[in-house]
Amino acid sequence: MVKEMEICVDGLRRTIVISDEPEALLAAKAAGRAIIGVEQKAGGASLPAARYIVPGWEFVTEELAGLVLRRHLGLPWTIGVTERLLIRELTMGDREAIPVSELKAGEAMFGDPEMLRAYIGGQYGFYEYGTWAILERDSGHLAGLAGVSQPRLPEALEQRLNAHIAGSCPGQAFLELGYHIFRPYRRKGYALEACREILDYTCQVLSCRACAMIANENKASRCLAERLGMKPLTPGGEFMETDSGSSEPLLLYAESRQSPPDKADP
């Protein structure tokens, strides 16, 4: 069966092809059209042409079709909207608004045009999560970066997280939360507001919980993690060598299924 759905995103109207027939999907993809595959009954042919496949026709919605079309057109997905902020995927247009002088070692890719282009095309298209843009809704200005990624923890902290999962969250997948509010936009509560929305998205959409690795002396981030409902798993800290060659204690915070974020105003 083949169906078509007309969808409009950002003023662009396009037709999406939905089908459970491999040949129809291949033909539509070759013609440059956005496609959604529908799984066949057991024993049916596979749908190699389709990046997005649903288990049945009833799962094809306008919301899903809109997301698929946005990905097809290279338009960013909106992650969340709060009272003051818009959180969405990064675009190449954000590059000029990113203060390169503020970027840390692990953020260098966002200051390089080619690396940013590769990140947008690979990270979002394949994983559908990563580092996102935080924009002020009123001004449209880029206020910072935040998001979730696969945890990259020292061995000792990874063991702590695994013990936490086994004891409090059996079978739960965890992603690592990170944020960077640019200097002109600090002390406005944007970090808390954005991270609350991101944790909700991580739980509701990605079906994951979050952890955060924080330097012991970073009291602001420790306070933020606690307001988000995270608990310290390493009260004594684990020492890790930094880029400067010094060694500093790091703390690991993590959510549990029983500790929702603090909903008080920032």
Side-chain angles (χ1 to χ4, degrees):
M1 182 185 298
V2 179
K3 291 186 178 181
E4 295 185 349
M5 181 182 294
E6 281 199 4
I7 297 292
C8 183
V9 296
D10 291 6
L12 301 172
R13 183 171 293 278
R14 296 288 188 275
T15 299
I16 294 183
V17 176
I18 306 107
S19 179
D20 56 5
E21 301 174 8
E23 296 81 5
L25 292 172
L26 282 168
K29 184 176 182 179
R33 305 174 78 180
I35 60 174
I36 299 175
V38 180
E39 283 186 346
Q40 299 177 336
K41 295 180 179 179
S46 62
L47 306 172
R51 175 188 293 179
Y52 296 95
I53 301 175
V54 294
W57 288 96
E58 67 274 18
F59 293 93
V60 180
T61 64
E62 284 196 13
E63 180 181 10
L64 172 64
L67 290 173
V68 172
L69 181 56
R70 294 189 74 86
R71 185 68 77 222
H72 178 75
L73 295 173
L75 299 173
W77 285 7
T78 294
I79 303 305
V81 179
T82 69
E83 181 179 354
R84 300 179 296 168
L85 303 173
L86 167 67
I87 305 164
R88 62 154 171 77
E89 293 176 340
L90 284 161
T91 68
M92 289 304 298
D94 295 320
R95 165 61 191 83
E96 294 302 319
I98 297 175
V100 176
S101 60
E102 283 194 38
L103 298 181
K104 303 172 185 176
E107 300 172 330
M109 70 184 73
F110 304 116
D112 180 275
E114 293 307 314
M115 293 177 70
L116 178 59
R117 181 176 288 106
Y119 183 85
I120 291 171
Q123 183 71 30
Y124 299 151
F126 187 80
Y127 293 102
E128 298 182 358
Y129 59 80
T131 297
W132 300 308
I134 303 173
L135 290 89
E136 289 184 319
R137 290 180 59 186
D138 290 342
S139 69
H141 294 161
L142 183 67
L145 307 171
V148 289
S149 60
Q150 283 293 330
R152 299 180 64 183
L153 307 173
E155 183 178 357
L157 296 189
E158 185 176 359
Q159 291 175 355
R160 294 269 188 165
L161 180 60
N162 290 338
H164 172 67
I165 293 172
S168 302
C169 309
Q172 178 71 67
F174 271 74
L175 294 173
E176 185 177 353
L177 175 69
Y179 73 94
H180 183 166
I181 303 300
F182 302 143
R183 287 193 179 93
Y185 305 97
R186 293 175 185 174
R187 301 186 182 280
K188 296 183 178 182
Y190 285 171
L192 180 61
E193 191 171 332
C195 288
R196 278 179 180 156
E197 190 69 19
I198 288 170
L199 290 194
D200 184 63
Y201 182 90
T202 301
C203 179
Q204 300 299 325
V205 178
L206 303 177
S207 299
C208 295
R209 291 290 185 176
C211 64
M213 185 170 61
I214 303 171
N216 183 62
E217 69 272 15
N218 190 342
K219 294 181 179 180
S221 291
R222 289 168 56 186
C223 180
L224 174 63
E226 290 168 7
R227 292 199 64 183
L228 291 169
M230 293 184 177
K231 305 296 182 184
L233 305 185
T234 53
E238 298 290 344
F239 283 83
M240 178 180 177
E241 188 170 305
T242 65
D243 294 336
S244 64
S246 64
S247 185
E248 62 182 26
L250 297 172
L251 300 176
L252 181 65
Y253 283 75
E255 288 185 289
S256 70
R257 286 181 173 146
Q258 294 77 34
S259 53
D262 173 14
K263 294 297 182 181
D265 290 336

